[in-house]
Amino acid sequence: MIINLPNDFAYEAQGTSGYGYAYVDKERKKLILKGNISYSRVITKLMYDLNEHEICPYCGCRLSKATTTLDHCIPVDRGGPTIPENLIICCSNCNEEKGNMNKEEYLFYRTLKTNSEKIEYKKILEKFCTKTKMQKGCDIPNEWTIDPKEIDIFVSINFRENIKRSKKYQKVKKNYKKYGKLIYPVISDENGILLDGFYSLMYSKENNISDITIVKLDNVERRC
Ligand SMILES: [Zn+2]
């Protein structure tokens, strides 16, 4: 898929694992990531550049630096990827109240008048989410994904032994045991180089799981 990019964007970061930077190549209309830079941090930064709303799209309040948050329209826990198409800038109160609802569900939730209606709706949603996770794992539009058979994902990071003990790996494992599916998608650049979803990918490789959701970003390039 082609993700939405601003015309102008540049970002650099010095992290514990080294230096890296990202920018939008205007001529090729492509996001380039180079060196040691976190994909999700780049996208977060980029979202603030793309969205200059001053108003929360949910409640209409005026956003200030202190109250602005980044919301996954389809929540991370339901497989929502960190891509501009799935992100929205909103106020922290709405983000917190939205919790594990997707954007449409939350807009409906806001129309409910009484507390009992809200509680009832949340119960129905919870059942629905469990069922969806069991049926398909990751709950994202088909047009964002590609057939996992079409691509081999490359990981530049070495598989360390302690990865299996990490919280994120354990969460992927726990979900898989509970739902029989991988919930978090793997995001790759145009060449199949991994951008996000490292733990899902590692777990699928370790356990020979071919049923994995892959989002390939055709206008993003990760360079060493
Ligand atoms: Zn709000």
Side-chain angles (χ1 to χ4, degrees), residues 161-222:
E161 267 309 304
N162 59 359
I163 279 170
K164 283 190 191 171
R165 290 199 299 272
S166 80
K167 267 191 190 160
K168 284 184 176 173
Y169 189 88
Q170 289 301 324
K171 199 165 181 194
V172 170
K173 186 178 172 179
K174 197 179 136 200
N175 276 332
Y176 195 77
K177 295 249 144 75
K178 190 171 173 188
Y179 304 110
K181 299 271 185 215
L182 291 169
I183 308 295
Y184 312 116
V186 168
I187 305 181
S188 90
D189 83 342
E190 57 174 4
N191 301 308
I193 293 172
L194 182 77
L195 296 170
D196 204 7
F198 174 71
Y199 296 95
S200 274
L201 185 68
M202 284 301 133
Y203 191 76
S204 75
K205 283 186 189 291
E206 280 278 298
N207 299 281
N208 287 317
I209 302 161
S210 55
D211 187 12
I212 184 164
T213 306
I214 295 177
V215 179
K216 180 170 166 260
L217 307 183
D218 293 303
N219 55 342
V220 179
E221 186 186 342
R222 165 153 243 161

Side-chain angles (χ1 to χ4, degrees), residues 10-177:
Y11 172 58
E12 59 179 344
Q14 177 72 52
T16 44
S17 45
Y19 170 79
Y21 61 88
Y23 65 95
V24 167
D25 181 326
K26 279 182 217 167
E27 271 159 37
R28 292 159 70 213
K29 294 190 171 69
K30 212 180 257 192
L31 174 66
I32 311 287
L33 278 79
K34 191 149 168 51
N36 258 309
I37 195 154
S38 145
Y39 163 78
S40 48
R41 268 181 73 180
V42 168
I43 295 296
T44 302
K45 191 86 184 139
L46 191 143
M47 282 311 294
Y48 287 106
D49 277 23
L50 263 179
N51 293 275
E52 286 157 5
H53 313 303
E54 287 166 356
I55 284 173
C56 170
Y58 296 126
C59 71
C61 80
R62 191 159 282 280
L63 293 171
S64 69
K65 260 200 172 152
T67 59
T68 301
T69 56
L70 196 58
D71 170 50
H72 282 73
C73 298
I74 301 169
V76 174
D77 270 357
R78 291 162 69 177
T82 302
I83 54 173
E85 283 65 17
N86 192 41
L87 297 166
I88 201 168
I89 303 278
C90 69
C91 80
S92 53
N93 287 342
C94 287
N95 201 347
E96 197 178 313
E97 186 182 56
K98 181 175 171 282
N100 226 4
M101 288 179 242
N102 70 27
K103 189 179 161 191
E104 288 71 29
E105 289 158 357
Y106 180 56
L107 287 171
F108 176 74
Y109 178 84
R110 292 183 62 87
T111 68
L112 299 174
K113 300 273 183 292
T114 65
N115 257 341
S116 60
E117 277 179 318
K118 289 183 176 178
I119 292 167
E120 192 53 34
Y121 184 62
K122 276 188 174 173
K123 272 190 200 159
I124 296 167
L125 260 186
E126 207 181 302
K127 276 188 194 157
F128 169 76
C129 287
T130 306
K131 202 173 145 196
T132 312
K133 281 179 182 177
M134 283 174 162
Q135 281 169 348
K136 49 182 189 175
C138 182
D139 187 18
I140 64 172
N142 286 335
E143 59 264 30
W144 290 357
T145 67
I146 60 158
D147 189 334
K149 287 187 217 88
E150 280 177 38
I151 194 167
D152 253 333
I153 309 285
F154 298 96
V155 192
S156 57
I157 314 158
N158 291 324
F159 190 93
R160 303 185 309 267
E161 267 309 304
N162 59 359
I163 279 170
K164 283 190 191 171
R165 290 199 299 272
S166 80
K167 267 191 190 160
K168 284 184 176 173
Y169 189 88
Q170 289 301 324
K171 199 165 181 194
V172 170
K173 186 178 172 179
K174 197 179 136 200
N175 276 332
Y176 195 77
K177 295 249 144 75

